[in-house]
Amino acid sequence: MRFKILLIVLCFTGLFFSSAKTEAAQTIGEQTDILFWGETITDPYSTRDITYPDKAKGFNSSGVYKTRKKVTKDGGTSYLTLEDGVLKVESQVWKEASPDPFYAYYQNTTEFYWKAENADYEVTVVLSNPTLESYSAFLRSDTQTQSWTKKVKPGAEVTLTGTISVIDGELCFSILADSSAVSEKQASLQAVYVKEIRITRLATEEKGETPTIFIAGDSTSAYYSSGKSPWEGWGQEFYRYFTGKNTVRQKSYTELGFNTEYLNGYREYKMSNLTIENWSVPGESTTTFLSSGKWDGILNKAKPGDYVFVQFGHNDSVKSKGVKYTSLSDYRKNLKTFIKSCEQRGVTCVLLSPIPKYSFTSSGNCQIWVNSYRKAMKSVAAANNVPFLDIGYYGSIFLTNIGKSAAKPYYLIVGKGKYSYFPDGTKDYIHLQKKGADKFAQIVAARITKNSKLKALASYLDVDTNYYSGITRTTSITKKSKSGKSTWRLYWKKVKYAKYYKIYIYSTKKKSYRYITKRSNTKAKITGYSTKKKYKFQVRAVY
């Protein structure tokens, strides 16, 4: 269990703010009750006004959707008023839909911030209500939508508590009035009343009994319920490649205070010697995973000795996706944020390039998707000396070698009437069926064993590193000749990585191919079949 260290207690009796100060809000009048590591000090915090005065610009000439621009005023206290020892905090809060169904969240208010060591902090706010109407208040970490909400009835006093992870040397949050407004016009100026703020640093140095792997990703690694069969992400099959018995549980994001508009909760795979938590959410990019607070949620739970697998790029790369789109420079910056915040907590950050798309060239090569983002991730991993699993590269090699036809059942390409969730069928060249999810999970596990930085984690695995094992691919017969009355000579193309080849003959009676024999080279002499008849032979490479 984490222990707590009291950091700050801030009471508002006798406290008010001077708007004439530009560096930080100052205390004037009576000494406030502020404790910092057991010592009473003055002005340990600063405030800033944040507003979004201009409308979203929409799509620019490059096809990128531009949201509202935040305007800040350091030292601003425009939304703060001291009334009878209680701090009245006003705010105007609303959200706006972007082209992709992810909202951009906005708030006009005054936020609080402290210079703080990179760690996890518990923020407790004591709220009162001197008015005659109930109100709901929530605590928002920086600009993230991770929040904790409480209703405050007239005359009541309520405590609101949330955990915030500091990764940039600044503890920053807003105390806001809850709002369902979906436009600035709908959003009215509302108030909450704060009696006290307590900030407590949580210990982050305590190693767990067993390690946890957190998966932070998008739809290609996410969990899907059986009602969406055959749709799966590789993250829901990953646990199968580890030793130890397991118990699968669904946990709610609301336990951690998340906005749950698009979320169903993370999936936990509890094993005897290791735990996997899959936090992947369809539609996420590096930008939205950070801004939605889910990254904070992982940091709040991660312990020294844990691992965080980060796989984004598909949504980052699409300019039309509104708030999800991430330029390459911001993508690199976000990856560095992931790495830095993990290192601060003794956690290993593992970067994984996006899985390949079902897309083949005319020569039969599976193309590496979003390759510019893959290369950016690879360079960031090298520069920061963290493990990099190149799933995009090795996945595309795998699909190239088994061929376009054999690769098709790995993706969500299904016919009409086969599955209730896809009554009209679907041709989805990005997402996976169970077969593909399982194979990419195997590829991830196999690449762990090949990475020198992940030797400790590899010891937990039980995986066949030859992920071609058991797969067959039909290869072209280049030559078929007759010899005598009952002998056929076959020659075929060599298939890379094939262990051996199986030869089949077509049965007109059963209307299917029947196995005859196998060979380790690329030729065979087939006897016992009259050369006066016509036969259809087939050769399948076995990996």
Side-chain angles (χ1 to χ4, degrees):
M1 179 179 291
R2 287 177 162 181
F3 61 85
K4 301 178 180 180
I5 304 173
L6 182 65
L7 181 61
I8 297 172
V9 177
L10 176 58
C11 300
F12 291 102
T13 303
L15 169 68
F16 64 90
F17 300 94
S18 170
S19 60
K21 299 294 183 180
T22 57
E23 294 301 317
Q26 301 290 311
T27 58
I28 301 175
E30 296 180 17
Q31 181 76 48
T32 55
D33 181 17
I34 302 170
L35 300 177
F36 187 80
W37 298 108
E39 298 180 9
T40 301
I41 64 170
T42 58
D43 190 32
Y45 66 96
S46 297
T47 60
R48 65 167 72 96
D49 287 345
I50 56 172
T51 56
Y52 294 86
D54 299 324
K55 292 182 179 180
K57 292 183 178 180
F59 290 102
N60 63 14
S61 58
S62 300
V64 177
Y65 186 85
K66 293 293 185 179
T67 56
R68 289 175 179 253
K69 185 177 181 180
K70 180 167 74 172
V71 176
T72 62
K73 179 185 177 183
D74 288 341
T77 60
S78 302
Y79 295 85
L80 304 179
T81 310
L82 191 67
E83 297 181 352
D84 298 325
V86 177
L87 189 68
K88 179 182 179 181
V89 183
E90 292 182 297
S91 60
Q92 184 183 18
V93 181
W94 74 99
K95 62 185 179 181
E96 292 177 356
S98 73
D100 195 88
F102 256 60
Y103 284 100
Y105 290 83
Y106 301 109
Q107 60 200 50
N108 295 333
T109 191
T110 299
E111 65 182 6
F112 301 87
Y113 66 96
W114 279 261
K115 297 300 179 185
E117 293 183 17
N118 295 317
D120 297 337
Y121 294 84
E122 183 181 86
V123 177
T124 301
V125 179
V126 179
L127 300 163
S128 65
N129 188 353
T131 73
L132 300 177
E133 300 289 336
S134 296
Y135 71 83
S136 291
F138 68 100
L139 177 67
R140 176 174 289 174
S141 166
D142 199 355
T143 57
Q144 299 176 349
T145 55
Q146 182 183 10
S147 55
W148 302 265
T149 306
K150 282 289 181 70
K151 185 175 182 178
V152 188
K153 294 180 179 180
E157 189 171 291
V158 173
T159 299
L160 180 62
T161 302
T163 302
I164 298 174
S165 295
V166 174
I167 60 179
D168 57 1
E170 182 178 283
L171 172 61
C172 180
F173 58 87
S174 304
I175 306 167
L176 306 165
D178 198 14
S179 170
S180 59
V182 293
S183 69
E184 184 181 16
K185 187 177 181 179
Q186 286 184 6
S188 59
L189 191 65
Q190 301 180 82
V192 301
Y193 298 87
V194 180
K195 290 190 67 175
E196 184 176 290
I197 299 174
R198 301 190 191 99
I199 300 176
T200 305
R201 177 174 173 173
L202 302 175
T204 54
E205 299 81 12
E206 202 173 345
K207 190 172 183 177
E209 292 182 7
T210 59
T212 297
I213 299 173
F214 298 89
I215 304 175
D218 53 32
S219 54
T220 59
S221 55
Y223 164 80
Y224 299 91
S225 66
S226 57
K228 294 184 179 181
S229 178
W231 195 355
E232 287 196 6
W234 67 261
Q236 70 189 92
E237 298 292 340
F238 190 43
Y239 75 97
R240 300 182 188 279
Y241 294 98
F242 288 84
T243 59
K245 294 181 179 180
N246 66 81
T247 303
V248 182
R249 292 185 291 180
Q250 180 81 357
K251 294 208 169 183
S252 171
Y253 281 118
T254 55
E255 297 170 16
L256 301 171
F258 291 106
N259 176 299
T260 58
E261 198 153 6
Y262 298 104
L263 313 178
N264 295 315
Y266 67 88
R267 197 77 170 173
E268 180 187 80
Y269 303 85
K270 186 78 174 177
M271 290 164 267
S272 57
N273 56 357
L274 179 139
T275 299
I276 298 173
E277 290 190 10
N278 188 3
W279 287 61
S280 301
V281 177
E284 292 285 1
S285 67
T286 57
T287 298
T288 56
F289 204 84
L290 284 166
S291 66
S292 66
K294 287 183 281 295
W295 182 252
D296 256 22
I298 288 177
L299 294 183
N300 292 347
K301 297 193 70 180
K303 310 173 297 298
D306 288 347
Y307 301 83
V308 181
F309 282 34
V310 175
Q311 187 183 54
F312 295 102
H314 288 168
N315 296 301
D316 296 78
S317 66
V318 183
K319 292 181 178 180
S320 62
K321 281 188 175 283
V323 296
K324 300 179 187 180
Y325 171 70
T326 312
S327 66
L328 277 171
S329 60
D330 285 341
Y331 182 71
R332 294 186 187 95
K333 180 182 176 181
N334 291 344
L335 292 178
K336 290 175 185 176
T337 297
F338 293 144
I339 294 168
K340 179 182 175 182
S341 52
C342 284
E343 288 177 344
Q344 291 164 357
R345 291 159 175 76
V347 175
T348 301
C349 184
V350 183
L351 302 184
L352 293 77
S353 59
I355 69 168
K357 184 180 178 180
Y358 182 74
S359 177
F360 290 78
T361 64
S362 56
S363 58
N365 293 318
C366 178
Q367 300 179 85
I368 297 176
W369 200 26
V370 292
N371 201 25
S372 59
Y373 284 78
R374 169 190 162 268
K375 288 179 178 178
M377 177 181 276
K378 185 177 181 179
S379 66
V380 169
N384 291 273
N385 195 31
V386 298
F388 174 60
L389 305 180
D390 202 350
I391 308 306
Y393 173 75
Y394 287 102
S396 65
I397 288 178
F398 167 74
L399 296 176
T400 295
N401 287 330
I402 68 170
K404 185 176 181 179
S405 178
K408 188 175 180 180
Y410 288 79
Y411 288 83
L412 202 54
I413 305 169
V414 296
K416 185 177 180 179
K418 290 194 69 176
Y419 297 97
S420 59
Y421 193 72
F422 301 99
D424 297 323
T426 180
K427 291 184 178 180
D428 186 335
Y429 295 167
I430 299 171
H431 299 105
L432 305 169
Q433 292 192 53
K434 179 179 176 61
K435 184 176 181 178
D438 181 70
K439 183 54 64 176
F440 277 103
Q442 185 186 8
I443 292 174
V444 172
R447 297 316 305 171
I448 291 172
T449 68
K450 305 295 183 182
N451 194 295
S452 60
K453 295 183 178 69
L454 296 174
K455 287 183 178 179
L457 182 59
S459 66
Y460 294 92
L461 287 165
D462 180 17
V463 59
D464 182 357
T465 57
N466 176 22
Y467 38 82
Y468 291 93
S469 181
I471 295 174
T472 62
R473 175 187 179 180
T474 302
T475 185
S476 300
I477 296 175
T478 56
K479 185 179 179 182
K480 181 173 68 174
S481 62
K482 303 174 183 179
S483 178
K485 294 181 179 180
S486 60
T487 300
W488 293 83
R489 295 186 183 274
L490 305 178
Y491 303 85
W492 55 86
K493 285 185 177 180
K494 184 178 180 180
V495 176
K496 194 175 182 181
Y497 300 118
K499 285 185 177 180
Y500 57 89
Y501 302 87
K502 286 185 174 181
I503 297 93
Y504 295 78
I505 190 170
Y506 187 78
S507 170
T508 54
K509 185 177 180 180
K510 294 185 177 181
K511 295 183 180 180
S512 62
Y513 282 95
R514 178 172 57 85
Y515 171 70
I516 304 173
T517 185
K518 65 180 180 181
R519 293 289 186 272
S520 58
N521 52 20
T522 57
K523 60 182 180 179
K525 185 170 69 172
I526 310 297
T527 59
Y529 297 91
S530 173
T531 53
K532 293 182 180 182
K533 294 183 179 181
K534 291 183 178 181
Y535 291 102
K536 288 169 62 178
F537 294 98
Q538 187 182 79
V539 178
R540 300 176 190 173
V542 180
Y543 293 96

